[in-house]
């Protein structure tokens, strides 16, 4: 019988990387489609905007928290003028294969006193365009973690179990995953990954498939593309610099791999990907 894990246990193994938190004024011109490999948290000052996928359409209520996981393609539309506060982040501890399978929809979170309190402290500072201090960053991360706890409560018990089993089993691969993250610009050999995990090359590949759901090569390429996509949006570095930093042979190799996984070349993605 599978071991039961509490939501607290799962969250203790989860880590986020915050990319940006801001507020913009939306109007009738706000529209999608949107499709990025990072997570979004949205809170609007007024009702009237809508977000939808093929399966669900949500009328965004004022002050309510909406979470849109990475890889979920959605569309949006704004009608009245709205202060649109958002945070973009990456959920570091789960691979894209698990995220796409488990967190495959948008979430309108239920009212929760703890989350409401955090939003009430965060949103006015975003609207006022105050400097993003260390205090603001910590409060934003706290809000995201509480919101993720709300998302976990929306999952089925099987989905929660899958996340928990992955996070617990992932510990065997921690050294390999940390090595990959630190050496994306370099060639990464399975023998080296096996060595840092104190197992043979073949055993490393088997463990990686079992616990991560991909081969090491598939995972490495996905991380390279994912990190590069984030830098195309959240940095002003050149495409050549981004390609070199993430282990691609040159701009042409980067463009070919990027388009195969993101559906558009890097230059087009940088120009067209929504930043809010």
């Amino acid at each position: 019988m599978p071991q039961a894990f509490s939501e607290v246990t799962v969250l203790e193994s989860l880590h986020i990387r915050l990319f940006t938190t801001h507020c913009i004024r939306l109007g009738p011109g706000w529209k999608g489609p949107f499709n990025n490999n990072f997570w979004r948290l949205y809170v609007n000052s007024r009702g009237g905007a809508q977000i939808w996928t093929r399966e669900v359409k949500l009328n965004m209520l004022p002050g309510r928290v909406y979470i849109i996981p990475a890889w979920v393609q959605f569309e949006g539309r704004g009608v009245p003028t709205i202060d649109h506060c958002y945070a973009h982040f990456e959920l570091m501890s789960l691979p894209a294969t698990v995220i796409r399978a488990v967190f495959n929809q948008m979430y309108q979170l239920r009212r929760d006193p703890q989350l409401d309190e955090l939003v009430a402290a965060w949103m006015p500072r975003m609207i006022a365009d105050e400097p993003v201090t260390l205090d603001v960053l910590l409060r934003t991360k706290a809000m995201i973690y509480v919101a993720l706890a709300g998302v976990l409560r929306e999952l089925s018990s099987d989905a929660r179990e899958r996340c928990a089993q992955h996070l617990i089993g992932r510990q065997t691969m921690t050294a390999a995953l940390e090595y990959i993250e630190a050496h994306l610009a370099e060639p990464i050999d399975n023998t080296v990954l096996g060595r840092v995990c104190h197992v043979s090359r073949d055993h490393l590949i088997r463990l990686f498939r079992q616990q991560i759901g991909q081969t090491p090569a598939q995972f490495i390429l996905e991380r390279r593309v994912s990190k590069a996509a984030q830098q195309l949006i959240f940095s002003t570095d050149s495409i050549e610099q981004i390609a070199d930093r993430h282990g691609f042979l040159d701009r042409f190799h980067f463009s070919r791999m990027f388009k195969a996984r993101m559906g558009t070349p890097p230059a087009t993605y940088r120009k067209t990907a929504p930043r809010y």
Side-chain angles (χ1 to χ4, degrees):
M1 176 174 291
Q3 183 179 356
F5 296 99
S6 69
E7 291 174 3
V8 173
T9 302
V10 175
L11 282 174
E12 285 176 347
S13 301
L14 292 175
H15 303 283
I16 66 167
R17 175 185 291 149
L18 181 64
F19 294 127
T20 185
T21 180
H22 196 50
C23 186
I24 63 171
R25 185 67 55 86
L26 291 184
W30 183 64
K31 60 181 180 179
F34 301 84
N35 183 22
N36 288 113
N37 61 343
F38 54 82
W39 292 59
R40 288 175 162 91
L41 180 148
Y42 284 165
V43 186
N44 286 350
S45 62
R46 295 178 55 191
Q50 297 176 331
I51 48 177
W52 65 89
T53 65
R54 292 181 180 179
E55 292 77 23
V56 64
K57 186 174 185 176
L58 298 175
N59 294 309
M60 301 180 72
L61 303 175
R64 291 289 288 274
V65 175
Y66 296 82
I67 291 284
I68 305 172
W71 311 107
V72 171
Q73 185 168 355
F74 69 102
E75 296 188 50
R77 181 173 62 199
V79 180
T81 300
I82 295 170
D83 288 314
H84 174 72
C85 299
Y86 61 88
H88 294 164
F89 61 96
E90 181 181 22
L91 193 54
M92 295 291 296
S93 307
L94 292 173
T97 50
V98 174
I99 292 173
R100 284 193 287 259
V102 174
F103 303 97
N104 54 9
Q105 65 182 58
M106 303 181 300
Y107 299 91
Q108 177 179 277
L109 298 189
R110 300 175 184 178
R111 300 309 297 253
D112 172 83
Q114 185 180 19
L115 184 57
D116 287 347
E117 182 179 351
L118 290 166
V119 170
W122 168 76
M123 196 171 179
R125 300 181 76 164
M126 294 297 102
I127 294 174
D129 198 23
E130 295 183 9
V132 180
T133 62
L134 179 60
D135 172 67
V136 171
L137 290 175
L138 291 173
R139 290 177 182 274
T140 303
K141 282 197 168 187
M143 178 181 63
I144 292 171
Y145 279 120
V146 173
L148 288 174
V151 170
L152 284 175
R153 287 192 290 271
E154 298 291 323
L155 298 180
S156 67
S157 57
D158 287 345
R160 286 199 299 270
E161 183 70 21
R162 178 171 180 177
C163 289
Q165 291 284 1
H166 172 82
L167 291 168
I168 299 304
R170 179 182 185 275
Q171 295 175 4
T172 310
M173 291 288 98
T174 295
L177 296 174
E178 290 177 349
Y179 183 92
I180 290 169
E181 204 70 19
H183 296 83
L184 285 177
E186 309 164 17
I188 300 175
D189 186 83
N190 288 335
T191 301
V192 175
L193 294 179
R195 191 177 302 135
V196 300
C197 290
H198 307 290
V199 297
S200 70
R201 176 185 180 277
D202 291 343
H203 190 44
L204 178 281
I205 295 172
R206 286 195 296 271
L207 285 175
F208 215 96
R209 285 176 183 262
Q210 292 170 3
Q211 298 178 11
I212 307 301
Q214 297 171 296
T215 66
Q218 290 169 334
F219 179 84
I220 290 166
L221 180 57
E222 187 163 62
R223 284 304 296 157
R224 283 173 169 157
V225 170
S226 182
K227 294 266 288 185
Q230 291 159 6
Q231 292 209 352
L232 286 169
I233 292 178
F234 299 116
S235 82
T236 58
D237 293 340
S238 70
I239 291 176
E240 288 80 6
Q241 288 174 318
I242 293 171
D244 181 66
R245 188 178 301 132
H246 294 91
F248 296 98
L249 299 177
D250 51 39
R251 176 171 178 153
F252 302 103
H253 177 233
F254 174 43
S255 295
R256 188 170 67 253
M257 295 296 101
F258 191 92
K259 184 176 180 180
R261 281 149 186 83
M262 300 299 292
T264 185
T268 304
Y269 182 85
R270 169 169 263 176
K271 291 177 183 177
T272 61
R275 287 161 168 75
Y276 45 78

